[in-house]
Amino acid sequence: MPVLRMEYPAIVELNVGGVFYTTSLSTITRDPSSHIARLFSNPENSPQKDAKGKYFIDRDGVLFRYVLDYLRNQMLILPESFREKERLRQEAIYYGLPAMIDSIFHSDDSKRGAGYITIGYRGSFAFGRDGLADVKFRKITRILVCGRVTLCRDVFGETLNESRDPDHGLTDRYTARFFLKHSSIEQAFDMLQEQGFHLVGSCGSGTAGSTAPSDLKPGVDAEESRWNHYNEFVFCRE
């Protein structure tokens, strides 16, 4: 008896990590040397099907949209302030798309605006009990962000609090009134580094004052309230 050869349909329905996609076979196999093309080139090695008959791939279903867009357009376009480049790179490695891997960290370099962002924060030092003099850690009350509005939004996205800015809504301007919704200075530095900024300058100052016991907030140590500091860090993207 002749052996019937299984062929893939022209329209392919996928279940990638629980997210459904519909695309063409020509799109999936556009890069013949890729792993994803090989999955749909040899029926003996094709992905298994789920209960609804869709080809199942056990990968990140949300990030697969960028893989599919890349296969369709042969170029990578990521949204502004995209935060999952390393995870997307892992997906591109799995699907065997080296050109996409190279594009992930360079695709938007030409679009990035050059400029400076200044990060400032003020706070107090947390002292040990019983008048111990060594400082345990810093206490940050607020992280301030200064710079061009569009640049600040590009870097910090939804973590940027604009509620104190009287010109809220205008974009072509500079501001010194933004601050972050969190108080983790390391997180702010990581976000700047991910967007291509590097540190070009910094400064800091400290003050020692006197606070009457009656003016202290509940739970605040008198010695701790005396010592305050303010620091600024200037970042640049060329």
Side-chain angles (χ1 to χ4, degrees):
M1 294 179 61
V3 177
L4 297 178
R5 177 177 176 144
M6 173 184 172
E7 294 184 356
Y8 291 100
I11 303 300
V12 180
E13 293 187 335
L14 303 171
N15 175 352
V16 184
V19 182
F20 300 151
Y21 292 90
T22 301
T23 186
S24 67
L25 181 63
S26 60
T27 294
I28 289 291
T29 58
R30 180 153 294 168
D31 185 347
S33 63
S34 67
H35 176 59
I36 190 170
R38 290 193 295 270
L39 289 177
F40 291 91
S41 298
N42 184 354
E44 295 181 357
N45 298 324
S46 64
Q48 63 181 347
K49 292 186 177 182
D50 65 8
K52 295 184 178 180
K54 302 178 187 295
Y55 291 102
F56 177 73
I57 301 176
D58 189 14
R59 299 297 299 183
D60 191 311
V62 175
L63 293 181
F64 184 72
R65 61 174 291 191
Y66 302 110
V67 176
L68 201 54
D69 283 346
Y70 176 79
L71 290 171
R72 287 169 177 156
N73 305 314
Q74 293 297 287
M75 62 183 299
L76 182 65
I77 302 176
L78 298 177
E80 293 184 5
S81 303
F82 184 74
R83 305 293 181 194
E84 298 187 285
K85 289 186 176 181
E86 180 54 35
R87 294 183 62 186
L88 183 58
R89 188 178 76 90
Q90 294 301 320
E91 297 303 301
I93 290 174
Y94 172 80
Y95 292 114
L97 298 167
M100 180 179 175
I101 297 170
D102 293 338
S103 299
I104 288 174
F105 290 95
H106 302 96
S107 61
D108 57 348
D109 284 348
S110 61
K111 302 177 185 177
R112 289 178 167 181
Y116 292 84
I117 290 180
T118 299
I119 300 296
Y121 72 87
R122 59 183 176 85
S124 60
F125 294 110
F127 284 81
R129 297 181 179 274
D130 301 324
L132 295 178
D134 67 338
V135 178
K136 294 197 303 181
F137 199 66
R138 61 175 182 262
K139 286 188 175 181
I140 298 177
T141 57
R142 179 166 290 175
I143 299 176
L144 305 176
V145 178
C146 311
R148 194 166 72 248
V149 169
T150 52
L151 205 57
C152 296
R153 288 173 178 163
D154 178 45
V155 174
F156 296 108
E158 295 181 355
T159 65
L160 194 66
N161 194 326
E162 305 180 34
S163 61
R164 294 174 64 247
D165 195 336
D167 297 320
H168 177 71
L170 301 178
T171 57
D172 190 18
R173 60 188 176 84
Y174 289 79
T175 183
R177 298 183 66 85
F178 285 169
F179 64 95
L180 299 182
K181 296 177 182 179
H182 60 81
S183 59
S184 174
I185 192 67
E186 290 79 10
Q187 181 180 347
F189 290 170
D190 284 345
M191 296 174 78
L192 284 158
Q193 190 273 333
E194 290 172 2
Q195 292 295 316
F197 282 82
H198 61 275
L199 182 68
V200 294
S202 65
C203 64
S205 64
T207 60
S210 59
T211 303
S214 59
D215 296 332
L216 291 175
K217 296 181 179 179
V220 177
D221 182 82
E223 183 68 12
E224 177 183 318
S225 68
R226 292 183 58 233
W227 299 92
N228 294 277
H229 59 90
Y230 182 78
N231 301 272
E232 280 192 343
F233 302 86
V234 181
F235 290 84
C236 175
R237 183 168 69 187
E238 300 178 352

